[in-house]
């Protein structure tokens, strides 16, 4: 395993890594009817993480297939793929491209970048955590990570909603992004 010490933690040496789709979950949580939470994920995505010599100059580039959204309820997923929400036919990809790595504290940091949904790009800050580096049973160098952020879906044009008789709305305005995963060093 090619690792090095940096600010008290063991991290991979510089290089390019790819998201491991079998060990990564790109998920989200939304409020439903003001009283409960609906969880979902995107099943199809790809991404590259470049660990720089100076880890603060590292970069992340992720592409998510909008049509791969899955909440476990077919009718809801069809609605989310449609024009009221993601418009997956017109805007098939959701992308994230980092612009800065900031606020290091041990294995935690902030990953700032441009998130594009429905051709609307906004800066978001993901609270991230480095999970450690290892060599898997097949001899591949990997590292684990997690990241989360809360965003206002309406700034991306996801404004559909329905008022409830008792007050409030069917779908919450805030969406929590939850990512857990592994990345594999590329040859």
């Amino acid at each position: 395993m090619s690792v090095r010490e940096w600010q008290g933690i063991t991290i991979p040496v510089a290089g390019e890594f790819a998201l491991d789709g079998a060990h990564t979950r790109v998920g989200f949580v939304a409020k439903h009817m003001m009283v409960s939470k609906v969880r979902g994920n995107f099943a199809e995505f790809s991404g590259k993480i470049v660990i720089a010599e100076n880890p603060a100059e590292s970069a992340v580039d992720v592409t998510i297939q909008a049509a791969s959204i899955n909440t476990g309820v077919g009718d809801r997923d069809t609605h989310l793929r449609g024009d009221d929400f993601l418009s997956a036919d017109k805007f098939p990809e959701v992308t994230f491209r980092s612009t800065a790595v900031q606020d290091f504290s041990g294995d935690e940091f902030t990953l700032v970048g441009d998130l594009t949904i429905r051709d609307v790009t906004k800066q978001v800050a993901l609270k991230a955590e480095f999970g450690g580096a290892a060599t898997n049973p097949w001899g591949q160098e990997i590292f684990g990570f997690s990241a989360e952020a809360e965003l206002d879906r309406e700034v991306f044009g996801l404004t559909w909603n329905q008022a409830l008789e008792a007050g409030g709305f069917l779908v919450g305005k805030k969406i929590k992004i939850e990512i857990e995963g592994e990345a594999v060093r590329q040859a």
Side-chain angles (χ1 to χ4, degrees):
M1 175 93 214
S2 302
V3 295
R4 59 192 162 144
E5 292 295 316
W6 185 76
Q7 294 191 1
I9 60 172
T10 302
I11 64 169
V13 296
E16 186 175 312
F17 291 75
L19 292 182
D20 180 348
H23 297 103
T24 301
R25 180 179 185 277
V26 178
F28 59 89
V29 180
K31 268 296 215 194
H32 180 252
M33 294 191 62
M34 311 294 292
V35 298
S36 65
K37 296 176 182 176
V38 170
R39 293 183 184 280
N41 69 292
F42 291 92
E44 297 175 31
F45 53 85
S46 61
K48 176 175 74 170
I49 301 171
V50 176
I51 305 292
E53 278 301 324
N54 174 357
E57 297 173 359
S58 297
V60 176
D61 190 344
V62 176
T63 300
I64 299 165
Q65 299 306 311
S68 74
I69 194 166
N70 177 23
T71 64
V73 177
D75 288 345
R76 178 172 48 220
D77 295 344
T78 297
H79 189 200
L80 291 171
R81 288 181 194 106
D83 290 338
D84 285 340
F85 289 97
L86 294 173
S87 295
D89 288 343
K90 294 178 200 155
F91 308 105
E93 296 178 340
V94 173
T95 61
F96 176 81
R97 289 180 177 65
S98 67
T99 56
V101 183
Q102 305 171 336
D103 305 325
F104 286 98
S105 177
D107 57 3
E108 296 180 350
F109 57 95
T110 302
L111 183 63
V112 179
D114 294 329
L115 177 64
T116 302
I117 303 172
R118 290 177 57 131
D119 269 0
V120 176
T121 302
K122 300 291 179 185
Q123 187 177 77
V124 299
L126 294 153
K127 294 294 180 191
E129 182 177 358
F130 175 73
T135 301
N136 70 18
W138 302 275
Q140 297 170 305
E141 294 181 31
I142 64 169
F143 70 85
F145 62 91
S146 61
E148 63 180 38
E150 186 173 271
L151 55 93
D152 178 347
R153 66 184 176 87
E154 292 182 353
V155 302
F156 293 96
L158 307 173
T159 59
W160 182 91
N161 222 330
Q162 185 174 343
L164 300 173
E165 267 185 49
F169 292 93
L170 184 65
V171 183
K173 187 175 170 176
K174 299 289 184 187
I175 304 295
K176 184 175 182 181
I177 306 300
E178 300 175 327
I179 303 164
E180 292 284 337
E182 289 180 12
V184 180
R185 185 179 295 277
Q186 300 303 285

